[in-house]
């Protein structure tokens, strides 16, 4: 199987696309060629173009900041360039940031879930480029959890937020380039935009099939398997359960000091959640929720990637965990990701229906068919924007 060539590699091979351009680069550590050389260094040394500024998304240009931690502007110690933060005072590139830039390049590895904010940093960049007459080039990269499977509900526009700025399915099965085409068309954005597609990429590929190195895109996304559970694991952020931050297994470990791990593991196993195994365990987060406290819970093991439906599975997990102790379980309160009114669980789910059903004691299994129906409808919606076989 031929190795996938990323949009970055294709741009560097045909650098005439940016000859004479003054370039700004939106990136983090994932913007590398297979030899692990960063895009900023490639562009800095590229003849005929001038790299003039860097832009960092959530977690920063170095992907070192933890979740919800705002990042300030800084100077890149390697290139000496100014780094503008798009997760601090603003999330949208301003006219001042774009001054002297005629081409903005986006190159960040996404993880394939609706909540991951990098795709909305791209959307905001598209809006800014349309407003200020700047050309945008999106360098495409693989969807690490595949391009065939679509799962979960479609976000209700009443619940738009920075963890859901467009009505996508939770697991959308699209690349950043395909999403850019969708955003531009469905939002009617008038901008000069070019998608640089990958070469040799196929939708059915596992990330390991691409031949590309995995560079963690954020501090708590260390492995490809973490990306497979993230479409559900991120929902735990909307509760007072630990999602495993402060451990070496974020999103795989879920628990709280008051949970019985064996009961939770047994309940989840009986729920017949395909592709996942649940091991009862204890863990002690070193930071974040329940830092320094012994938590009972489960470690989620991916046993068959083709069968995993993490969004539904983790909703069942929340239901079962709450049932153990309704007094100690709690929903996280806002603010969360720049939303100050709606509960975090609602903007993550893209609806209040899930929370309201759990609170009322209605079984969440009633949502399974609904989610599948919405996912199938989204497959039809996304079809015109798909670029790969």
């Amino acid at each position: 199987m031929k190795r996938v060539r990323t949009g970055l590699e294709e741009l560097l091979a045909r650098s005439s696309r940016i000859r004479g351009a003054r370039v700004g680069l939106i990136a983090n550590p994932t913007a590398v060629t297979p030899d692990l050389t960063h895009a900023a260094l490639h562009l800095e040394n590229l003849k005929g173009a001038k790299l003039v500024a860097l832009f960092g998304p959530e977690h920063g240009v170095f992907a070192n900041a933890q979740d919800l931690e705002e990042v300030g502007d800084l100077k890149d110690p390697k290139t000496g360039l100014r780094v503008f933060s798009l997760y601090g005072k603003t999330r949208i590139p301003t006219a001042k940031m774009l001054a002297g830039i005629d081409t903005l390049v986006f190159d960040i590895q996404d993880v394939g879930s609706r909540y991951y904010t990098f795709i909305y940093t791209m959307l905001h960049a598209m809006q800014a480029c349309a407003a200020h007459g700047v050309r945008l080039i999106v360098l495409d990269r693989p969807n690490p959890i595949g391009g065939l499977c679509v799962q979960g509900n479609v976000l209700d526009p009443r619940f738009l937020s920075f963890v859901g700025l467009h009505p996508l399915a939770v697991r959308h099965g699209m690349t950043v380039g395909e999403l850019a085409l969708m955003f531009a068309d469905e939002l009617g954005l008038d901008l000069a935009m070019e998608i640089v597609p990958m070469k040799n990429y196929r939708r059915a590929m596992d990330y390991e099939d691409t031949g590309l190195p995995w560079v963690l895109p954020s501090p708590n996304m260390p492995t490809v398997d973490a990306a497979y559970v993230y479409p559900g694991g991120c929902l735990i952020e909307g509760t007072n359960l630990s999602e495993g931050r402060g451990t070496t297994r974020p999103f795989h470990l879920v628990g709280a000091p008051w949970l019985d791990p064996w009961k939770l593991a047994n309940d989840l196993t009986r729920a017949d959640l395909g592709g996942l195994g649940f091991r009862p365990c204890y863990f002690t987060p070193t930071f974040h929720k329940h830092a320094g406290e012994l938590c009972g819970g489960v470690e989620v093991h991916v046993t068959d990637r083709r069968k995993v439906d993490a969004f539904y599975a983790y909703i069942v997990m929340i239901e079962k965990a709450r049932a153990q102790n309704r007094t100690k379980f709690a929903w996280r309160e806002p603010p969360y990701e720049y939303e100050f009114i709606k509960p975090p669980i609602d903007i993550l789910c893209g609806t209040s229906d899930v929370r309201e059903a759990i609170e009322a004691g209605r079984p969440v299994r009633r949502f399974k068919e609904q989610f599948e129906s919405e996912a199938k409808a989204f497959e039809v919606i996304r079809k015109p924007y798909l670029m790969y076989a």
Side-chain angles (χ1 to χ4, degrees):
M1 185 178 294
K2 292 183 178 179
R3 181 183 65 77
V4 169
R5 288 176 55 86
T6 64
L8 172 60
E9 292 177 85
E10 292 297 291
L11 175 70
L12 295 173
R14 298 170 179 80
S15 59
S16 59
R17 303 171 196 245
I18 54 173
R19 184 173 295 134
R22 291 177 60 83
V23 177
L25 173 65
I26 304 175
N28 69 4
T30 64
V32 293
T33 45
D35 66 356
L36 301 177
T37 302
H38 196 271
L41 300 182
H42 282 294
L43 294 176
E44 186 184 38
N45 296 319
L46 197 64
K47 292 182 179 180
K50 185 174 179 58
L51 181 65
V52 297
L54 303 175
F55 297 78
E58 184 179 5
H59 308 293
V61 72
F62 305 130
N64 62 300
Q66 289 295 329
D67 67 307
L68 306 181
E69 183 180 333
E70 290 192 336
V71 180
D73 296 346
L74 52 87
K75 182 179 179 180
D76 177 42
K78 180 62 176 175
T79 63
L81 294 172
R82 179 79 177 270
V83 180
F84 295 106
S85 173
L86 298 178
Y87 195 80
K89 293 180 180 179
T90 182
R91 289 167 302 289
I92 305 176
T94 64
K96 185 176 181 180
M97 291 176 177
L98 294 173
I101 294 172
D102 55 58
T103 301
L104 192 59
V105 175
F106 179 93
D107 187 16
I108 299 178
Q109 176 63 58
D110 184 39
V111 301
S113 294
R114 181 176 70 208
Y115 338 101
Y116 217 51
T117 61
F118 298 161
I119 60 176
Y120 306 120
T121 294
M122 179 180 69
L123 172 54
H124 282 324
M126 294 170 65
Q127 293 167 327
C129 287
H132 301 294
V134 175
R135 178 175 63 147
L136 178 69
I137 297 178
V138 176
L139 306 183
D140 214 5
R141 288 186 177 270
N143 184 323
I145 59 175
L148 293 178
C149 184
V150 175
Q151 291 172 329
N153 69 337
V154 175
L155 181 137
D156 181 334
R158 293 177 298 173
F159 294 87
L160 291 174
S161 75
F162 198 50
V163 286
L165 277 179
H166 200 75
L168 304 176
V170 175
R171 183 174 172 180
H172 48 70
M174 301 174 74
T175 68
V176 292
E178 293 169 339
L179 286 167
L181 293 174
M182 172 181 274
F183 293 160
D185 182 46
E186 294 191 345
L187 295 174
L189 295 176
D190 183 13
L191 77 159
M193 182 175 72
E194 180 181 356
I195 312 298
V196 181
M198 294 173 281
K199 189 175 180 180
N200 304 325
Y201 178 67
R202 298 292 181 269
R203 310 198 73 79
M205 281 181 166
D206 283 335
Y207 191 84
E208 292 84 354
D209 296 333
T210 68
L212 298 172
W214 177 257
V215 178
L216 66 168
S218 57
N220 292 287
M221 195 60 62
T223 65
V224 177
D225 269 357
Y228 271 91
V229 300
Y230 184 74
C234 187
L235 297 177
I236 306 302
E237 293 183 20
T239 75
N240 67 343
L241 304 174
S242 168
E243 63 270 16
R245 282 191 166 90
T247 78
T248 58
R249 296 288 284 167
F251 303 112
H252 289 271
L253 289 172
V254 178
W258 43 268
L259 276 175
D260 177 338
W262 287 273
K263 178 170 174 48
L264 182 59
N266 288 337
D267 286 346
L268 293 172
T269 301
R270 285 198 297 269
D272 192 24
L273 303 169
L276 297 174
F278 304 94
R279 181 181 67 84
C281 67
Y282 286 97
F283 61 93
T284 303
T286 59
F287 62 87
H288 213 264
K289 297 175 189 171
H290 309 302
E293 296 184 78
L294 183 65
C295 293
V298 294
E299 180 178 4
V300 181
H301 293 262
V302 177
T303 58
D304 188 339
R305 288 178 175 178
R306 297 292 179 266
K307 296 180 180 179
V308 170
D309 184 346
F311 181 63
Y312 175 68
Y314 278 69
I315 288 174
V316 174
M317 186 185 301
I318 292 171
E319 175 190 47
K320 302 302 184 185
R322 180 181 180 273
Q324 282 197 27
N325 195 318
R326 291 177 174 81
T327 301
K328 292 186 176 180
F329 174 90
W331 303 110
R332 185 176 189 160
E333 296 289 334
Y336 173 80
E337 289 290 6
Y338 302 99
E339 167 58 49
F340 297 91
I341 298 174
K342 295 182 179 68
I345 190 64
D346 289 1
I347 61 172
L348 287 167
C349 286
T351 177
S352 61
D353 293 349
V354 172
R355 173 182 55 81
E356 290 168 355
I358 292 174
E359 289 176 345
R362 297 192 296 271
V364 297
R365 63 176 178 269
R366 61 188 286 270
F367 289 111
K368 188 169 177 57
E369 288 187 8
Q370 177 187 330
F371 294 161
E372 291 171 353
S373 177
E374 291 188 41
K376 287 180 181 178
F378 184 77
E379 286 189 62
V380 176
I381 293 169
R382 74 172 190 153
K383 191 172 183 179
Y385 310 108
L386 302 185
M387 299 191 298
Y388 305 98

